[in-house]
Amino acid sequence: MSNYEDKIGEIIGLNIGEINQLEKDFNVKLPLAYKQFLLSSGRKTGFLMNGYYIEYPSLMDNKEDAIHELNFDDRKKDDEKPEIKDNYFFFAQWQGYNFFFFDCSREEDDPVVFLFDTEKITKYKDSFTEFLRDEGLKPLLESIS
């Protein structure tokens, strides 16, 4: 992404201590690709991910918000609802009803991204890098061309 710095705008990363604290707070080992993202732009993503709750500290609420949305619809029985596991790390949300996460138990460097849309959990992208490219960089470049 360094090739696009002039188009992305101001980005601010987290430090290693803050990333370690995130892992401790959520009791997960974050994937390498995500840690690299946090180091470069975890606090401020410029124009890269407009509309997403992906920056620290707002990302801290994503899992709680996903659980709230899961339980909001009381027409479904518990066994009809998708399971949100402890090792799921919800790194982003969009519009309050699309939640993006990866499963930290899979121990992938560039993890598969899943989507929880309050109805079901589905595989969304093959990797976190693909998610950033398709949801962040491509729309940004298209908007300025």
Side-chain angles (χ1 to χ4, degrees):
M1 287 194 298
S2 60
N3 297 342
Y4 303 102
E5 286 177 2
D6 59 322
K7 302 196 179 17
I8 292 173
E10 182 182 16
I11 59 174
I12 301 171
L14 299 179
N15 64 48
I16 294 293
E18 290 168 318
I19 294 170
N20 290 341
Q21 189 62 48
L22 263 177
E23 290 182 317
K24 186 176 179 181
D25 290 346
F26 287 94
N27 196 29
V28 295
K29 181 172 177 5
L30 296 171
L32 180 60
Y34 184 64
K35 286 182 182 182
Q36 291 170 329
F37 167 78
L38 291 173
L39 282 169
S40 69
S41 53
R43 189 173 304 282
K44 187 169 185 178
T45 59
F47 302 113
L48 184 62
M49 300 299 296
N50 276 344
Y52 285 87
Y53 290 91
I54 196 167
E55 298 172 339
Y56 179 87
S58 64
L59 69 84
M60 299 288 288
D61 297 327
N62 288 342
K63 186 170 190 172
E64 184 178 319
D65 291 348
I67 292 169
H68 173 78
E69 288 301 313
L70 175 68
N71 294 315
F72 183 75
D73 185 357
D74 59 3
R75 295 173 294 176
K76 287 187 176 185
K77 297 176 187 167
D78 284 344
D79 63 347
E80 297 173 321
K81 296 177 184 180
E83 180 184 5
I84 294 180
K85 298 179 181 178
D86 289 341
N87 49 342
Y88 291 173
F89 185 80
F90 288 80
F91 65 87
Q93 69 170 289
W94 172 261
Q95 303 285 325
Y97 60 89
N98 286 327
F99 299 88
F100 302 92
F101 70 93
F102 35 78
D103 182 349
C104 292
S105 71
R106 295 171 68 142
E107 297 183 12
E108 300 167 306
D109 285 341
D110 196 2
V112 170
V113 171
F114 295 93
L115 167 66
F116 166 59
D117 66 2
T118 71
E119 293 287 321
K120 61 191 175 308
I121 292 174
T122 56
K123 179 180 173 184
Y124 187 68
K125 297 287 179 183
D126 287 330
S127 69
F128 180 70
T129 302
E130 182 182 343
F131 174 85
L132 289 178
R133 184 188 64 231
D134 292 353
E135 301 298 318
L137 191 57
K138 281 183 180 179
L140 174 62
L141 295 176
E142 288 169 3
S143 74
I144 58 177
S145 59

